[in-house]
Amino acid sequence: MARDPLDSIQQALRRVPQQRQRRLSTFRPGPDATLLPGDGETGPAQGPLLDLASNDYLGLSAHPSLKAAAMAVIQSEGVGSGGSRLVSGTRPCHVSLEAALAQWLGRERVLLFPSGFQANLAAVLALADRHSEVIADRLIHHSLLVGIQASGARLRRFRHNDLSDLRRLLERGARSEPDRRRLVVSESLFSMEGTSPDLAGIAAACQEFGALLLLDEAHALGLLGPGGRGLAWGLAGVSLVSGTFGKAFGAGGAFLAADDPVGEWLLQSSGAFRYTTALAPPLAATAEAALEQLQADPGQGEALLRRARRWRDGLEAAGWRRPPGEGPILPLHVGDNALALHLQGHLEQAGLLGVAIRPPTVPAGTARLRLVLRRDLPHGSLDRLLHALAAWPHAPAP
Ligand SMILES: Cc1ncc(COP(=O)(O)O)c(C=O)c1O
């Protein structure tokens, strides 16, 4: 009898260490947010919890104008687009969102995608192939890495946000293989670190050594750069920008923005754009309503950054290592996986939701609690957090 083909999967499953096993937990958002029992768990829901975990940085996901935009387009067009963009799926809401984003970002071309993960695959595959060399920050998002692997390009990594290491790799490549296409990949705001690169330095290096530059602005849009337009805004040398509506835009879906010829090349070549159902109209309409909110109140990102500074000051004064960067992502490093989970549980008991992030999402030995500051958190949230952290038995001495 033939071997059961599931055997090898069972074996692989058994090799996942206990510490790395994942469970889905269900979170019902809102002012009385609750954490429902996860799969395989029993017991009561925990709540209300203060959400210090979601990436809805500007609190737009529940904004009345976003809800109204989604409902209006559902009434007029239905929920799904029913086709891919190049067949029958392009709707007026797609065209108008792409035009509005292109204008906002000062780019010639914007193309929408159903998710940021997919947009990142498309971005790398448009700019690199098996003859290329990709030089990427060591901590780029998994979707970018998967894209690089799928492209067949040779991958070189530079130390996180280390411009001189990047320049060293670019220089070496330009000297030894001047004709090879090079693509540099980085992010504006690293989702697990809270850090940002010296983007002007990276863009200048790419121009100097003739490399393309792909920048993932998933966590930066709405917050960083003038009016929340991201770090690439107005900067020469950035070939392609990737953004998602799943974070500060409070919706879902994503886009790539570029000037021609890269924008036109994407349209002509991208299978990830062509062979997928067009972004659901309610999400496109919601993203456009979010963009209108950002344009109507362009200071909201900066206001959040000011608040983030106060949170960093407070955490530092309480004895924690100051979370790096400037944005609303505030990782509390504890190192050990079990300790990170313990801290998550401790905060839940205190009515706070902050999630432990462990390897392989972050490098081994760097488990952390990823805290996220949002614009709609009530006053007093920082005090509640500091109070709960101080009562944790493993908290550092102030
Ligand atoms: C840096 C980064 N890029 C891309 C993505 C993917 O975006 P999306 O959630 O829209 O698939 C994420 C989110 O998980 C992210 O953190």
Side-chain angles (χ1 to χ4, degrees), residues 115-117 120 141 187 191 216 218-219 244 247:
S115 81
F117 200 107
N120 277 347
H141 191 258
E187 299 179 16
S191 59
D216 181 341
H219 292 272
T244 168
K247 309 200 191 290

Side-chain angles (χ1 to χ4, degrees), residues 85-155:
R85 289 292 301 279
L86 291 170
V87 180
S88 60
T90 296
R91 299 275 181 275
C93 61
H94 296 128
V95 178
S96 100
L97 174 58
E98 285 173 341
L101 282 167
Q103 204 192 17
W104 188 57
L105 295 171
R107 293 281 177 173
E108 286 171 356
R109 187 70 72 93
V110 167
L111 288 180
L112 302 177
F113 287 81
S115 81
F117 200 107
Q118 200 170 336
N120 277 347
L121 291 185
V124 178
L125 291 171
L127 299 182
D129 61 21
R130 66 194 174 86
H131 305 293
S132 318
E133 180 172 77
V134 177
I135 306 180
D137 188 287
R138 192 165 283 287
L139 298 184
I140 52 167
H141 191 258
H142 186 67
S143 53
L144 294 163
L145 264 187
V146 172
I148 295 165
Q149 280 157 0
S151 75
R154 184 208 290 155
L155 172 61

